[in-house]
Amino acid sequence: MLSAYMLGEEKGGGMGKQKSKTKKTKAPSADEAAFLAGHRLDAFPRPSVAVDVVILTVRAAALFVCLHERSDHPAKEQLALPGGFMRIEESLDEAARRIVKEKAGFDDIFLEQLYTFADPGRDPRGRVITVAHVALIEAARFDASPCPKGRIEVPWPGETGGPVDVFVDSDGPHSPIELAFDHRDILGTAVRRLRGKLDYTPIGFQLLPAEFTLRALQDVHEAVRGEQVNKDSFRRRMLASGHLEATGSHERDVTWRPAELYRFIRRSAV
Amino acid sequence: MLSAYMLGEEKGGGMGKQKSKTKKTKAPSADEAAFLAGHRLDAFPRPSVAVDVVILTVRAAALFVCLHERSDHPAKEQLALPGGFMRIEESLDEAARRIVKEKAGFDDIFLEQLYTFADPGRDPRGRVITVAHVALIEAARFDASPCPKGRIEVPWPGETGGPVDVFVDSDGPHSPIELAFDHRDILGTAVRRLRGKLDYTPIGFQLLPAEFTLRALQDVHEAVRGEQVNKDSFRRRMLASGHLEATGSHERDVTWRPAELYRFIRRSAV
DNA sequence: CAAGCATATATGCACTGAGCATATATGCAC
DNA sequence: GTGCATATATGCTCAGTGCATATATGCTTG
């Protein structure tokens, strides 16, 4: 049944047809308008498209993710990533922001598309593909959300990849919890992406408040990378990156020498 | 205009067939089984899901992409990326490989998911989202495909991003061609991704034959990055990467001193 | 055949950033 | 004040990069 899926594409399967290239315009011709009017995209089966969001923060040198308890089957009462179905009129970004707002309560948040998971059988309800997103937020705002929070432990080094383990600390020390669907894989992909971008983009600053110490920035990098970094060269590299601006003020209520607070500034041009 | 694809009910109704493929989820309880039996994913409007593939190679120090002339509206007779609708029973990877085979003739190819483009209005037929993929192939195999070939010119430096220009050289020097839908943006995203991964993954070797000279490898890097690289440090860096194995043989039929041929070897462990 | 040419390949040197050690500064607890 | 924990500054070594120079190896040309 090849033709059923080739709507709007060539039917014959030949590759070498080379018609003369006519000038093409954006305004639809009468011919095209007639084609579109008689066109039925819903004449063949389509999957459902969901959007899931991995909302991450760094607290106490560890990665945490915002979860959501499912109120319906499948995986009823199990924890899952906040997600929902894309509405027919909204973009993926709009859908993701709506879900973040509805299920975690965050209004303004750094958001980026991650990967599309589409294995047949990943959802028992039928053919559901999900466009996963990553959102990053500072710990104070993260903590203010009522969502269940999971601590992430990454069992692989560097950017190896694979599922990660999630612990809900309120239950005390125990084995990692189960997540609905393939959400442990999605989480693993999110961590791998984050590790890959951390050194080459200013993405790490999204996990910090507006003003922060170099030590806090280092904590973020160490939590994401899952390993210690050299303090001196980290400081030098960050200060030389052009992304930091000293505020002149210092942290308070610490029992040691207060560190200077810095602001993130988007670098002019490369 | 929305109503055209908001006629919710599906005519084919083919969701039930693959329901038994739930390998990742636990056996449903009686309660859950009852829920799933009464569940209708098709009660809500769903988009159509397409897959487009950016098939790239490097030839003569330039990036080239494999295209496809559309035989039907919309954008009839216009060039586009090879693409098609995902079938309800196949994974994205399977769909992409089917499309690569059908429209470009490549059987075994490096393939990777790129990004999902889903702006409402990107397709005049209605709500169509596309999961774009990138495929890389060596120039000799690329040239053997009957697909129309476009030369890529990237108007932005580094990983700035944005649409790229495509030229069909057979028509002589002229302005960049128009591509169907948002395919110039998809191409731009592909180039940006490629630039980002080139230095930190062995992805560049996918653009070369099994045995190649260091100069050819450098040509690949320069074509992807769009700028010259230092020859000496590039050689040293590549030889120190652990990804290269000398074959002992040398290139032939060149008018200068023949360079040694190398093989790509996947580095053991990091 | 010898000279010339284009490229490959090898080596040395200066510069830069990273890792490391050391010294000084600044808050709090006692 | 003393002790302590951390921040901050400086100097050293080492590895990688950009650059220059020297040699090697094929073909072309006279």
Side-chain angles (χ1 to χ4, degrees), chain A residues 14 24 39 55 61 79 92 95 98 104 131 138 146 161-162 164 177 186 195:
Chain A
K24 44 269 169 180
H39 191 78
I55 307 174
L79 288 174
L92 287 172
R98 171 175 56 79
V131 184
E138 60 175 297
V164 296
I177 64 172
I186 296 179
R195 285 188 177 178

Side-chain angles (χ1 to χ4, degrees), chain B residues 230 232-234 236-237 240 254-258:
Chain B
N230 181 274
D232 299 276
S233 61
F234 180 79
R236 272 184 308 219
R237 185 155 51 91
V254 289
T255 170
W256 53 80
R257 172 175 170 178

Side-chain angles (χ1 to χ4, degrees), chain A residues 2 10 46 90 116 127, chain B residues 46 71 87 90 116 127:
Chain A
L2 190 69
E10 79 181 30
R46 284 160 292 151
E90 67 189 353
T116 299
R127 193 76 172 96
Chain B
R46 282 159 293 150
S71 57
R87 295 182 189 166
E90 67 188 353
T116 299
R127 193 76 172 97

Side-chain angles (χ1 to χ4, degrees), chain A residues 1 5 45 126-127, chain B residues 13-21 88-89:
Chain A
M1 285 304 284
Y5 301 94
R127 193 76 172 96
Chain B
M15 294 300 292
K17 212 194 288 186
Q18 86 316 5
K19 215 179 256 183
S20 57
K21 273 187 169 182
I88 204 70
E89 79 283 1

Side-chain angles (χ1 to χ4, degrees), chain B residues 58-64 139 151 219 223:
Chain B
V58 167
R59 192 211 305 149
L63 274 173
F64 286 83
R151 182 173 49 83
D219 283 341

Side-chain angles (χ1 to χ4, degrees), chain B residues 163-239:
Chain B
V164 297
D165 296 323
V166 178
F167 297 82
V168 178
D169 283 338
S170 61
D171 292 354
H174 54 323
S175 52
I177 64 171
E178 221 180 306
L179 290 186
F181 308 113
D182 49 1
H183 287 190
R184 282 180 67 231
D185 297 296
I186 297 180
L187 259 174
T189 304
V191 173
R192 186 165 56 136
R193 172 76 59 91
L194 197 51
R195 287 188 177 179
K197 297 190 79 166
L198 191 64
D199 277 349
Y200 310 107
T201 72
I203 205 172
F205 299 107
Q206 304 297 337
L207 293 162
L208 291 168
E211 300 192 349
F212 50 86
T213 65
L214 285 174
R215 179 69 230 181
L217 181 58
Q218 183 175 346
D219 283 341
V220 163
H221 280 243
E222 290 181 340
V224 171
R225 298 180 50 171
E227 60 183 17
Q228 306 274 107
V229 307
N230 181 274
K231 179 173 174 172
D232 299 276
S233 61
F234 180 79
R235 288 173 58 88
R236 272 184 308 219
R237 185 155 51 91
M238 288 301 132
L239 291 171

